[in-house]
Amino acid sequence: MSFAKSSFIPLAAFLAAAVAIAAGWHWLGAGVPMPQAPLGPRDKLQCVSYAPFRGWQTPFDPATRIERWQIEDDLARLKPLTDCIRTYSTELGLDQVPDVARRYGLKVLLGIWLGREERKNRIEIDSAVALARRYPDVVSALVVGNEVLLRGELSAAALAGIIRNVKAQTAVPVTYADVWEFWTRFREVSEAVDFVTIHILPYWEDFPIPAREAAAHVASIRRQVAAIFPGKEILIGETGWPSQGRMREGALPSPSNQARVIQDILAAGQREHFRINLIEAFDQPWKRLLEGTVGGHWGLLDAATRERKFEWGAPVSDHPLWRWQAGGGVLLALCAFAAALIGRGGAAASGGAALWSGVAVNAVAGGLMAGLAAEKMLVESLGAGGFARSMVLVALSAAVPVAASAALARGLAPPAFARVLARRDERISQPLALLLGLCAVALTLMAIQAALGLAFDPRYRDFPFAALTAATIPLAVVAWAVPRGKGRRGAAEIACAFTLVSAAGYIAFNESFANWQSLWFCGAIVLLALTLLRARDARD
């Protein structure tokens, strides 16, 4: 075989991998078409939930104080979008909202936060009543309590008594807000309010609703509640969809799904003539402490940029930086092929189509998934520990495709854990094999940590499927392509594989087969488990 002909094989394999990566990212980043815009150029939303917290500000810190300029900046951004905002409390500086709202011509559904502590409840009530009296042209209603029945912090009788007490002190309409099921369980509360405010969040239903069915679900629930409380006006006080976070069964958070669900709900409201308050104006990072990634990404406007995430009727990309990710993926593929060439001593002629096909698989896995893992690291990491784990996974997603390609070219199988973690005199001495083994150990630890978390405490945890895929596939290619040793299978690999496979079975069942993120994650950790069992050079 001539040198020119043999050199064609790795070049063709690289070009094929580069095209696959570019095409994959083009498909991932393409704008998703939206339905016809539900609002005209001059139309506005009926109302939007508003909380002013930014960055690390949180209502759980009593020292938090929202400055007036912050509220002014937010309401100036909201004015083109809506003429009404809903608040949830008057403490921590939120008592300034009605005065700023007057300046921008906004109405306020003023919230009174209720809980177990009677003293705090009284402070909230007195503050809200005083604001309603001071700003009768701004405060259009008082929302006495938010999901206090859901949290079990007040009885229905006590809540109804508080509502009547507030109603006796003010001339504005009074309501209470809770998840729709709790209105049907505690119907006596409806007798105390002027109108009924229900929360319908398809993503958080006990049986999650997919995005394509969300608007129909909201309209259906609203009709049911209206039938239960004839003669009472029904306000949908919270509805919307998250733009980031983990799937729940078939309910997928994404920028395009958020845009579609919100526009579908608005269109349903226009058809059936019901009032809607969307949750929420701005992303609220502090909610991630309670609800994971998904909790911080319900806003129509981004937390950092304070800009709108989408325009009515316009296509929405779920990966707007896809061109950069595609470029980075092709560069990673180039590194994988370069590592393989170096591993062959630069002699492309000594490697056949099987070798370069394996390198191409490694390159495509890393080129597509490493960029996605890096993207998810920016939105899914929380706290120092979360960022550390994500950085390790992203590093593995980039390093393993390169190291595995070099090992494949040299014919080096992944070593057993016992050869990697042994004493120096017993440790494997080949640097590349040692590096690949250390990557396998780190990847296994990360996979087990994620798998056990999703098995025992799954509700708010994300699925790190992208990073695991980018690192596991190249490791598997090497493990199956290179003849394994003749030694025994290691006890550590057996224990880890058993843990991963057991967790995968439970997670897949618990999350349901509608959750493709869960199935993908489970497939990745099962593949990793099978790959671990290929190692046969363990010592006693």
Side-chain angles (χ1 to χ4, degrees):
M1 182 182 293
S2 68
F3 177 78
K5 184 175 181 180
S6 62
S7 298
F8 172 77
I9 297 176
L11 178 60
F14 168 71
L15 291 176
V19 169
I21 292 168
W25 275 112
H26 181 271
W27 177 74
L28 288 170
V32 179
M34 290 293 119
Q36 183 178 356
L39 300 178
R42 298 184 179 180
D43 294 334
K44 294 184 178 182
L45 297 171
Q46 293 172 339
C47 206
V48 179
S49 290
Y50 169 65
F53 306 103
R54 302 186 184 188
W56 295 109
Q57 290 177 339
T58 169
F60 299 127
D61 181 2
T64 299
R65 175 70 183 179
I66 305 301
E67 300 295 335
R68 183 182 177 90
W69 70 263
Q70 194 169 314
I71 298 172
E72 289 180 343
D73 180 69
D74 286 345
L75 298 195
R77 295 175 185 274
L78 291 178
K79 176 57 181 175
L81 191 62
T82 183
D83 287 325
C84 169
I85 57 173
R86 177 190 168 188
T87 63
Y88 291 79
S89 173
T90 63
E91 63 177 354
L92 308 180
L94 274 80
D95 55 338
Q96 302 171 92
V97 170
D99 189 52
V100 179
R102 172 186 279 172
R103 175 181 173 186
Y104 289 99
L106 297 174
K107 298 293 185 181
V108 178
L109 296 177
L110 190 64
I112 298 175
W113 189 261
L114 297 180
R116 290 189 175 91
E117 297 185 40
E118 184 177 347
R119 183 185 64 84
K120 287 187 176 181
N121 291 347
R122 174 49 55 191
I123 293 172
E124 274 282 310
I125 291 168
D126 291 345
S127 174
V129 168
L131 289 170
R133 291 173 177 171
R134 190 182 312 157
Y135 301 99
D137 56 326
V138 175
V139 178
S140 58
L142 291 178
V143 185
V144 186
N146 182 74
E147 297 185 350
V148 68
L149 295 177
L150 170 66
R151 299 192 304 274
E153 294 180 347
L154 287 175
S155 67
L159 174 62
I162 292 173
I163 294 171
R164 290 189 179 96
N165 177 268
V166 173
K167 190 173 179 179
Q169 300 181 59
T170 181
V172 302
V174 172
T175 186
Y176 164 70
D178 211 326
V179 176
W180 64 273
E181 294 102 325
F182 284 83
W183 280 100
T184 63
R185 294 181 196 176
F186 302 101
R187 302 187 184 188
E188 62 270 28
V189 177
S190 68
E191 300 173 2
V193 299
D194 293 306
F195 61 95
V196 171
T197 301
I198 59 174
H199 297 171
I200 311 175
L201 301 170
Y203 173 86
W204 282 125
E205 295 285 16
D206 292 338
F207 298 97
I209 308 298
R212 64 181 179 277
E213 301 171 11
H217 174 77
V218 170
S220 174
I221 295 300
R222 189 263 172 195
R223 288 193 295 268
Q224 292 180 37
V225 175
I228 294 172
F229 303 111
K232 286 284 187 181
E233 180 187 359
I234 308 296
L235 168 66
I236 298 180
E238 285 185 1
T239 191
W241 196 265
S243 61
Q244 299 289 348
R246 53 111 73 212
M247 286 187 76
R248 296 188 67 236
E249 297 188 11
L252 173 65
S254 72
S256 61
N257 277 346
Q258 182 187 52
R260 176 174 293 278
V261 168
I262 288 175
Q263 293 180 86
D264 285 348
I265 291 174
L266 293 177
Q270 290 176 347
R271 288 194 304 270
E272 302 192 22
H273 307 290
F274 54 79
R275 294 173 61 203
I276 299 169
N277 174 77
L278 292 175
I279 184 165
E280 56 193 326
F282 298 93
D283 284 342
Q284 293 294 296
W286 65 271
K287 290 185 178 179
R288 299 179 60 192
L289 297 170
L290 300 176
E291 302 172 357
T293 299
V294 72
H297 293 91
W298 288 76
L300 296 171
L301 289 82
D302 182 78
T305 66
R306 316 306 279 182
E307 299 294 335
R308 290 180 60 174
K309 296 179 183 178
F310 60 87
E311 300 294 333
W312 307 125
V316 177
S317 173
D318 289 328
H319 307 281
L321 300 179
W322 70 269
R323 290 179 177 85
W324 290 97
Q325 291 165 300
V330 172
L331 181 61
L332 181 59
L334 181 62
C335 292
F337 275 85
L341 281 171
I342 293 171
R344 303 296 294 183
S350 60
L355 165 63
W356 297 110
S357 296
V359 175
V361 171
N362 295 347
V364 172
L368 287 175
M369 294 293 107
L372 186 58
E375 174 189 302
K376 289 184 173 296
M377 178 184 73
L378 298 177
V379 297
E380 293 181 354
S381 302
L382 181 63
F387 269 101
R389 287 191 296 271
S390 294
M391 290 176 68
V392 170
L393 284 170
V394 170
L396 289 171
S397 71
V400 175
V402 177
S405 296
L408 184 63
R410 291 193 184 185
L412 297 175
F417 289 173
R419 298 290 306 282
V420 175
L421 304 176
R423 296 176 303 180
R424 179 173 296 182
D425 59 332
E426 296 182 353
R427 189 181 307 154
I428 190 167
S429 59
Q430 215 290 333
L432 179 58
L434 180 61
L435 173 62
L436 192 63
L438 289 172
C439 287
V441 171
L443 178 63
T444 302
L445 291 175
M446 293 293 100
I448 289 176
Q449 186 270 341
L452 293 180
L454 286 163
F456 290 100
D457 184 26
R459 184 172 175 86
Y460 303 122
R461 294 181 183 270
D462 299 301
F463 298 94
F465 61 89
L468 288 178
T469 301
T472 298
I473 287 180
L475 198 64
V477 167
V478 178
W480 261 268
V482 176
R484 57 187 176 179
K486 297 180 180 180
R488 60 192 293 271
R489 183 181 288 134
E493 284 86 349
I494 294 173
C496 291
F498 176 79
T499 301
L500 291 172
V501 171
S502 299
Y506 176 78
I507 292 168
F509 172 78
N510 186 55
E511 297 288 344
S512 89
F513 292 107
N515 188 333
W516 64 258
Q517 287 186 347
S518 166
L519 296 178
W520 189 330
F521 172 81
C522 291
I525 62 175
V526 168
L527 177 60
L528 177 59
L530 297 176
T531 301
L532 294 177
L533 295 178
R534 291 283 297 175
R536 292 299 181 102
D537 62 341
R539 298 178 179 178
D540 287 339

